[in-house]
Amino acid sequence: MKRLFNILLYLLLAVFASGLAVSGVVYFLLRASVPDYDEDFSVAGIEGPVDILRDAAAIPHISADSAPDAYFALGFVHAQDRLGQLLRARRAAQALLPLDQTFEVEPSTAQALDAYAAGVNAWLGLVSEGGRGRGSPDLLIADERMIAAWRPVDSLRLAQAFLNDLQPERRQNDLSGLSDLPIPSDRPLLPELFVTSPKVSLDAWALPGDRTATGAPILAADIRGPLSLPSEWYLADIQLPTGAAIGATMPGVPFIVVGRSERVAWAFRSLSLNALKEPVSPTAAKAGNFLMMLDRLARSADVNDAMDASMNLAPAGLEILAIDRETLARWPDREVETPLSFRDARLAALDERQPIFSVEGAIAVQRDTVSAAARALLPLMARELWFVGSTGALEATRADKLRGVILNQLAQWNGDMDRFSPEPLVFWAWARALQKRILQDEFPSATKVWAMLNADVLFAVLSDRGGSAIWCDIRPSTRIETCQDQVRAALDDAIGWLIDRNGPDPSAWVWGEAHSLNMRWASIRSSGIISDLLSLEAPSSGAPDTLIATLFASDDDLPFATSAGTNFQAVMSFSEEAGSYFIAPAGQSGHPLSRFYENLFPMWMQGKYLAMSTDLSLARGGAVGTSRLSPVSFDKLTIQGDMSR
């Protein structure tokens, strides 16, 4: 027995030691792929030395004597920080959008694409030499034995995929395949049922100088899309010979997408599907035009130059806004009329309320979490219930009292989707239950029609737009139900749902508990539990229609959880040298072991922005590293197109 015990003990110790050894090797490989921002490199493909200064947030400030060398360095730092993201995006774009390798762009744009690809490949070459843990933790998990060299066509393909993600989808008007019942002839058409949101949406608004405290225009921009780790956007400062350009770059593309130079700031606004005469399919030529436009914007001398340089290249469905020190301009040269959304209504209300804005005031507008949808829908939903109570105190049941408490809370609520408040959760649970009651009888098997909250549909029905109130009637029943019948029943449905999940005390029904922001690590291949361990989750304010947007999930168990919404914001002005403020929800690095993997997340949740400047002396304060890329001749380099494990 003692001998058996010793054998089992030795086996257990051996297994434990093996586990420690494997864990140690894995940890070593993971740590080896964390970039050293103070390391210098000798690389082929540049004409002169390039300095890369990493400021306190690890944002690279690239200084080069030529534009190609600067774009080479941008490709290098993109691969250094986001190699896994680059490969994942390239794979997705290749599968989605097959593309001919032949395309035409202006010489400066072609030069930038070539230099950028060379920069990415320079990092791949360094990784292939060993000692860097394959360059990214993704590559230790994914079966990527061979990594093809980056090509300019890959950047073009990513630009085309981005333009494709901006296109809204239109559902089949006859709902073929979505329902086992046709739309009854007595139901008026609800166009909002047939339109879905694009995967990515750009928005921007600007203030002329006569409406700002300093007299200089202000441009505010935000982007809505997936909330993932690493972030979809990468902040950078590119010190070009024509002047510096700072802002948000898209890993895989060698230009500032939303940002500013020393003379001009630019941003974009997506147009709704209804504003377009017909759907637009992005092509390679349109993607090339988009890249040429970004190239030109960074080199523009002023707003007029920016408009002249981009008006013939702008993709259909995008409105361009630009400012300089004195002027605000847009293309098309007049604001495109689009159907007013709840979000637009809230922005208009805040704009009218404040005649003069500061940069801080513009930031406060961007971070606003008041829902115009709640303000519009709640009076329609509760107008009969707020003034109807029990006939006497003795007759009031426990359910009546709870209903009364909830209605009193909602009556005093201003529509703020604050994560610490119960009212947002009560309102959206009620709205969700109401939408289900209104639409489920017409589309019993098409859950995506009635399960995903659509405030526009509810407003059309409750306001009886074009006779839409008939949608409240339950078709299989013999009596005709009114919208107020459905509203009362939906409130009880919502209260029951909330009690089941959160208990009977309404003060414990906190919005942030149900409305959690979940940012998952997006690896090259799905990695299950690893992605769960590396994800970030926190209670979140906001809603789909608030200015800082958080889109609801379609999960029936977690209907208000969010993994998409606003994922970049900027406020830019030329009123001061450090007049540009940017923020993204995660850090610059895509490596989970880097201290810059999630360092911006607390700032994002607190509504704090990073002040970015083209002045390198400001960036040096608190800098976390400085590296130099030095040129080597081609005869000293073994060019390797592929990198093997």
Side-chain angles (χ1 to χ4, degrees):
M1 180 63 70
K2 183 177 180 180
R3 182 179 180 184
L4 178 60
F5 175 79
N6 289 336
I7 292 173
L8 293 175
L9 179 61
Y10 291 145
L11 285 174
L12 181 62
L13 291 174
V15 170
F16 181 71
S18 300
L20 284 178
V22 171
S23 299
V25 171
V26 171
Y27 181 77
F28 172 78
L29 293 174
L30 289 173
R31 286 297 306 174
S33 58
V34 177
D36 179 0
Y37 293 147
D38 282 313
E39 184 178 3
D40 296 331
F41 304 93
S42 295
V43 294
I46 54 177
E47 296 178 352
V50 181
D51 290 321
I52 303 172
L53 169 68
R54 302 277 188 160
D55 65 18
I59 297 170
H61 298 258
I62 298 169
S63 301
D65 293 331
S66 69
D69 284 357
Y71 287 122
F72 177 100
L74 182 62
F76 188 89
V77 298
H78 274 174
Q80 189 181 32
D81 279 329
R82 304 283 186 89
L83 180 58
Q85 185 179 25
L86 284 176
L87 300 180
R88 173 171 52 85
R90 178 171 67 174
R91 171 180 289 180
Q94 287 173 340
L96 179 66
L97 301 166
L99 183 67
D100 191 334
Q101 296 185 23
T102 60
F103 59 95
E104 294 184 3
V105 292
E106 293 173 341
S108 65
T109 306
Q111 203 173 34
L113 290 169
D114 289 336
Y116 180 88
V120 174
N121 292 330
W123 178 254
L124 289 176
L126 290 168
V127 171
S128 70
E129 295 173 3
R132 299 183 189 278
R134 302 211 72 217
S136 172
D138 305 49
L139 301 178
L140 296 175
I141 302 169
D143 186 19
E144 297 284 329
R145 296 184 179 277
M146 304 293 288
I147 300 177
W150 194 268
R151 302 173 300 162
V153 71
D154 294 325
S155 295
L156 188 75
R157 186 180 280 115
L158 261 62
Q160 186 178 356
F162 174 70
L163 295 180
N164 185 69
D165 287 341
L166 293 174
Q167 300 300 314
E169 300 176 3
R170 187 184 293 277
R171 292 176 178 167
Q172 295 292 331
N173 285 348
D174 61 355
L175 293 183
S176 177
L178 293 181
S179 174
D180 51 14
L181 289 176
I183 296 179
S185 59
D186 63 339
R187 297 309 197 242
L189 183 65
L190 289 173
E192 296 85 355
L193 281 174
F194 310 121
V195 177
T196 57
S197 300
K199 184 177 180 181
V200 177
S201 179
L202 307 178
D203 203 0
W205 53 280
L207 297 161
D210 60 2
R211 293 202 55 202
T212 69
T214 62
I218 293 175
L219 177 60
D222 69 74
I223 304 175
R224 296 187 295 279
L227 288 162
S228 61
L229 292 168
S231 173
E232 297 288 305
W233 301 96
Y234 183 93
L235 302 177
D237 169 17
I238 311 171
Q239 302 275 329
L240 299 167
T242 55
I246 58 177
T249 67
M250 180 167 49
V253 174
F255 301 109
I256 302 290
V257 178
V258 174
R260 58 162 282 190
S261 67
E262 295 173 346
R263 299 171 296 275
V264 178
W266 63 91
F268 304 96
R269 178 170 170 252
S270 301
L271 303 182
S272 69
L273 185 65
N274 293 334
L276 302 176
K277 294 182 179 179
E278 58 184 19
V280 179
S281 298
T283 63
K286 292 174 182 176
N289 288 343
F290 178 66
L291 294 179
M292 286 191 289
M293 179 184 64
L294 296 179
D295 184 19
R296 290 182 180 185
L297 285 170
R299 295 185 283 110
S300 299
D302 54 29
V303 157
N304 294 328
D305 187 27
M307 292 294 104
D308 292 340
S310 57
M311 63 176 58
N312 295 324
L313 298 175
L318 277 188
E319 183 181 12
I320 307 170
L321 280 76
I323 62 169
D324 57 20
R325 295 185 183 276
E326 298 178 350
T327 309
L328 159 65
R330 68 176 76 242
W331 177 260
D333 55 5
R334 60 181 179 83
E335 188 170 358
V336 178
E337 294 184 4
T338 61
L340 189 66
S341 68
F342 286 116
R343 191 173 184 273
D344 294 333
R346 178 59 181 170
L347 179 59
L350 293 175
D351 182 69
E352 292 175 4
R353 179 186 302 174
Q354 189 169 335
I356 301 297
F357 277 85
S358 63
V359 168
E360 292 75 16
I363 289 175
V365 170
Q366 276 197 324
R367 304 298 295 191
D368 185 75
T369 57
V370 172
S371 168
R375 287 189 166 192
L377 287 173
L378 188 56
L380 297 176
M381 294 164 62
R383 58 188 172 188
E384 300 292 339
L385 300 178
W386 273 330
F387 307 103
V388 176
S390 300
T391 57
L394 295 178
E395 299 177 11
T397 65
R398 181 179 179 184
D400 291 330
K401 291 179 180 179
L402 182 57
R403 193 183 299 112
V405 168
I406 291 171
L407 288 170
N408 285 336
Q409 285 181 321
L410 292 176
Q412 301 173 48
W413 178 50
N414 68 349
D416 189 359
M417 297 290 149
D418 178 63
R419 64 181 181 268
F420 301 114
S421 301
E423 291 87 359
L425 179 56
V426 174
F427 168 76
W428 285 115
W430 188 4
R432 180 172 177 267
L434 177 60
Q435 180 171 296
K436 181 177 180 180
R437 282 186 163 271
I438 290 174
L439 297 177
Q440 189 177 19
D441 58 313
E442 280 84 11
F443 313 107
S445 60
T447 56
K448 59 183 177 181
V449 175
W450 49 262
M452 181 66 75
L453 269 165
N454 191 327
D456 293 312
V457 168
L458 289 176
F459 186 76
V461 172
L462 293 177
S463 61
D464 196 20
R465 189 189 66 196
S468 296
I470 191 63
W471 281 87
C472 289
D473 177 46
I474 300 176
R475 294 179 62 243
S477 69
T478 55
R479 65 182 291 262
I480 297 178
E481 290 81 7
T482 67
C483 287
Q484 284 305 310
D485 292 335
Q486 299 288 36
V487 162
R488 291 188 185 93
L491 178 58
D492 289 340
D493 293 343
I495 292 175
W497 184 83
L498 290 167
I499 290 175
D500 289 342
R501 289 176 174 248
N502 304 286
D505 182 5
S507 64
W509 302 349
V510 180
W511 178 228
E513 293 295 323
H515 184 242
S516 60
L517 185 151
N518 189 352
M519 298 178 62
R520 290 175 58 85
W521 183 49
S523 58
I524 296 176
R525 293 183 184 273
S526 178
S527 49
I529 190 172
I530 297 178
S531 292
D532 293 337
L533 291 173
L534 299 178
S535 67
L536 294 176
E537 188 170 357
S540 178
S541 300
D545 69 296
T546 54
L547 291 175
I548 179 166
T550 50
L551 306 183
F552 295 155
S554 57
D555 188 342
D556 192 50
D557 292 330
L558 299 170
F560 307 120
T562 180
S563 59
T566 303
N567 61 11
F568 169 78
Q569 291 184 309
V571 173
M572 298 168 281
S573 174
F574 292 93
S575 59
E576 52 182 305
E577 182 59 31
S580 300
Y581 298 88
F582 301 87
I583 190 62
Q588 289 286 97
S589 176
H591 200 300
L593 296 185
S594 169
R595 62 191 176 105
F596 301 106
Y597 175 67
E598 57 184 54
N599 61 305
L600 299 183
F601 187 67
M603 295 182 64
W604 175 266
M605 297 303 296
Q606 296 168 22
K608 297 180 180 179
Y609 286 51
L610 291 168
M612 288 182 63
S613 171
T614 57
D615 185 347
L616 293 180
S617 63
L618 297 178
R620 289 191 181 96
V624 297
T626 303
S627 62
R628 167 165 287 198
L629 306 182
S630 301
V632 297
S633 59
F634 277 96
D635 58 355
K636 294 182 180 180
L637 181 70
T638 301
I639 300 178
Q640 185 173 344
D642 294 329
M643 181 185 72
S644 60
R645 179 175 293 178

